[in-house]
């Protein structure tokens, strides 16, 4: 008897990308996500930064990008977000981080299945997010290079601001359907052609 083939399905596989003149919303499924815990002042942090092509950001609420996005989560914690996770991609990133750390004490954990990502782009994305988020999302407060763990429509998210009115919303897989429904409902006025 043939073995069943496991088919990977994202939490928002049913969500078709939506777009209007001023707003686009689409899922970016299966991003590689690795949680990193390391002393930011130690040799391991410096070596990991070299391996990633960018120093680990130490300013709260910021991120840096090179081979991957390195998002500051806490004084000694980062989320390293890479391209869509093909088989083995997260393992390779984990191995690269562990190798760079050498014998230093670090925590490296693949959390790729924990969250999915929504990409929001367009001039109305910031307005839409403001409907359900208590953060000041004005570009001078939350512009490109900023990230924050916050609540959006009562769902815990990791919000990332990119160049050009583009945001990534990382949401736990179990809340993805709820949040997508809320976003589409709140975005109805912006999606009119």
């Amino acid at each position: 008897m043939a073995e069943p083939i496991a088919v990977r399905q994202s939490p928002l596989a049913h969500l078709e990308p939506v777009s209007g003149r001023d707003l686009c919303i689409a899922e970016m499924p299966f991003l590689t996500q690795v949680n990193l815990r390391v002393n930011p002042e130690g040799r391991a942090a410096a070596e990991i930064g070299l391996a990633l092509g960018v120093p680990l950001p130490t300013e709260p609420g910021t991120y840096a990008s090179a081979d991957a996005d390195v998002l500051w989560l806490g004084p000694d914690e980062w989320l390293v977000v890479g391209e869509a996770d093909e088989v083995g991609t997260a393992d390779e990133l984990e191995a690269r981080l562990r190798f760079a750390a050498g014998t230093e004490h670090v925590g490296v954990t693949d959390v790729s299945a924990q969250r999915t990502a929504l990409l929001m782009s367009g001039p109305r994305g910031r307005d839409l997010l403001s409907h359900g988020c208590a953060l000041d999302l004005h570009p001078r407060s939350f512009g490109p290079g900023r990230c924050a763990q916050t609540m959006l429509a009562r769902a815990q998210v990791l919000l990332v601001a990119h160049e050009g009115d583009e945001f990534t919303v990382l949401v736990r897989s179990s809340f993805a359907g709820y949040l997508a429904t809320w976003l589409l409902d709140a975005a109805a006025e912006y999606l009119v052609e």
Side-chain angles (χ1 to χ4, degrees):
M1 179 184 323
E3 290 290 319
I5 297 173
V7 177
R8 203 164 63 157
Q9 188 170 2
S10 75
L12 296 174
H14 64 282
L15 176 71
E16 293 292 323
V18 293
S19 64
R21 185 178 60 248
D22 297 325
L23 179 67
C24 296
I25 303 172
E27 182 187 23
M28 297 184 308
F30 310 122
L31 292 181
T32 298
Q33 300 174 56
V34 175
N35 186 270
L36 171 65
R37 301 291 303 258
V38 62
N39 175 357
E41 297 171 2
R43 182 192 61 75
E47 293 297 324
I48 288 170
L50 288 173
L52 291 171
V54 64
L56 299 179
T58 55
E59 180 184 339
T62 62
Y63 74 94
S65 294
D67 293 349
D69 290 339
V70 184
L71 295 91
W72 184 94
L73 298 181
D76 67 348
E77 183 176 12
W78 295 266
L79 182 65
V80 182
V81 181
E83 295 298 319
D85 181 27
E86 301 297 327
V87 175
T89 305
D91 293 339
E92 291 169 12
L93 180 57
E94 276 188 87
R96 183 166 35 141
L97 296 175
R98 290 181 194 282
F99 181 79
T103 60
E104 299 292 315
H105 178 71
V106 299
V108 178
T109 308
D110 176 12
V111 293
S112 300
Q114 184 182 54
R115 299 180 187 95
T116 193
L118 289 164
L119 179 66
M120 297 179 52
S121 59
R124 299 309 293 245
R126 194 176 301 274
D127 296 335
L128 174 59
L129 291 171
S130 294
H131 283 303
C133 182
L135 292 179
D136 178 0
L137 297 178
H138 190 279
R140 75 176 159 259
S141 298
F142 199 78
R146 304 296 299 181
C147 66
Q149 296 179 85
T150 188
M151 301 295 282
L152 177 59
R154 298 186 181 189
Q156 182 183 5
V157 299
L158 182 53
L159 186 59
V160 184
H162 304 286
E163 295 287 338
D165 292 322
E166 190 172 281
F167 295 89
T168 299
V169 179
L170 292 152
V171 60
R172 291 189 185 279
S173 297
S174 58
F175 282 89
Y178 159 76
L179 185 63
T181 300
W182 184 91
L183 285 168
L184 293 175
D185 183 58
E189 67 182 286
Y190 304 134
L191 295 172
V192 176
E193 289 297 324

